[in-house]
Amino acid sequence: MPAYMLLTFDLDGEAPYILKKRDYVQVTRGLYGVKTGLYKILQVLDKRRIPATFFISAYVAEMHEKDVYEIARRGHEVASHGYLHEDFSQLSASEAEEVLTKSKNILSKFGSVIGFRAPYWRLEKWLLELLALKGFIYDSSLMDSDFAYTLELGSRKLVEIPVSYHLDDWVLFEEKQFPPDIVLRSWTYELEWCIENETLFVLTAHPQVIGRGSRIRVLDGLLRLAEKLEKVEVTTCRKLAEKLLKPGD
Ligand SMILES: [Zn+2]
């Protein structure tokens, strides 16, 4: 198995701020991601012909249909990230089911939706079964492995593509306010380690964060490095999940 590099972008847009009834300035902070940050990311991905996965809060797809079409049109995967960026650990099973169904229906307009990532990476274990029941093939919210793996949930299977805070731009840039060169150095070190150990490198980035100002150079720098390195396959969550579920593999 080679090391896999997955570029995942959570397009939250204004959804979390609307749900939490934050002021309009916070709403514009989210809007920056859709209007500006997203296009910087798409440009970098286009330049290097690299496919990515976009986890999208379905409200954003309703409000910014043209921008989400642009993601799909350029060949990237569209996956589910709630409707209004809900904290699923606070929802009842019936509320969660309603949100999953509604958001999947909205996003299906842009292609088949087989993946889910819990907003804030918060969920309870029962949600995994519900995801499998609702036809999701994979989840990308848990933190218990360096590798993607398959969960056996009764008669159903769900691939898990684990994430981590140290590869999350929100933590490093928004919370810690690290300068771009430090973040690039840290992610470079991590990518090299993943390649040496044939593990999984799942970058979680947000258009409103990595797409702001000079930070986009970190993404470009990381992809430039990945192109040069052998033994790393850059792919989408969809392709990796399908590979894991392929009989005989
Ligand atoms: Zn999110």
Side-chain angles (χ1 to χ4, degrees), residues 10-23 26-34 55-64 81-87 119-120 208:
D10 294 0
L11 189 65
D12 306 339
E14 68 274 50
Y17 308 110
I18 300 275
L19 185 66
K20 291 181 175 172
K21 298 189 169 51
R22 294 282 161 84
D23 70 277
Q26 293 304 305
V27 169
T28 63
R29 190 179 164 200
L31 286 173
Y32 181 89
V34 187
F55 292 95
I56 301 174
S57 294
Y59 175 85
V60 176
E62 280 184 335
M63 301 302 287
H64 309 282
H81 197 45
Y83 177 70
L84 263 178
H85 205 266
E86 295 83 359
D87 177 348
Y120 311 104
Q208 73 189 78

Side-chain angles (χ1 to χ4, degrees), residues 67-97:
D67 304 295
V68 175
Y69 265 126
E70 202 50 38
I71 294 171
R73 188 185 71 76
R74 297 190 197 208
H76 303 296
E77 178 188 0
V78 168
S80 177
H81 197 45
Y83 177 70
L84 263 178
H85 205 266
E86 295 83 359
D87 177 348
F88 277 74
S89 70
Q90 300 299 309
L91 301 184
S92 68
S94 63
E95 286 168 339
E97 185 170 5

Side-chain angles (χ1 to χ4, degrees), residues 7 29 121 140 229 237:
L7 301 166
R29 190 179 164 200
W121 290 334
S140 180
L229 297 171
C237 295

Side-chain angles (χ1 to χ4, degrees), residues 86-117:
E86 295 83 359
D87 177 348
F88 277 74
S89 70
Q90 300 299 309
L91 301 184
S92 68
S94 63
E95 286 168 339
E97 185 170 5
E98 198 181 315
V99 173
L100 287 176
T101 306
K102 182 179 178 179
S103 41
K104 200 174 186 212
N105 284 344
I106 294 166
L107 293 174
S108 294
K109 200 171 173 179
F110 308 95
S112 76
V113 175
I114 64 163
F116 173 81
R117 170 172 289 159

Side-chain angles (χ1 to χ4, degrees), residues 167 182-194 201 218 221-222 225 229:
L167 291 176
I182 300 286
V183 177
L184 179 57
R185 212 154 13 115
S186 162
W187 288 350
T188 297
Y189 192 82
E190 187 64 21
L191 180 60
E192 287 168 348
W193 187 89
C194 287
F201 181 100
V218 175
L222 189 67
L225 173 73
L229 297 171

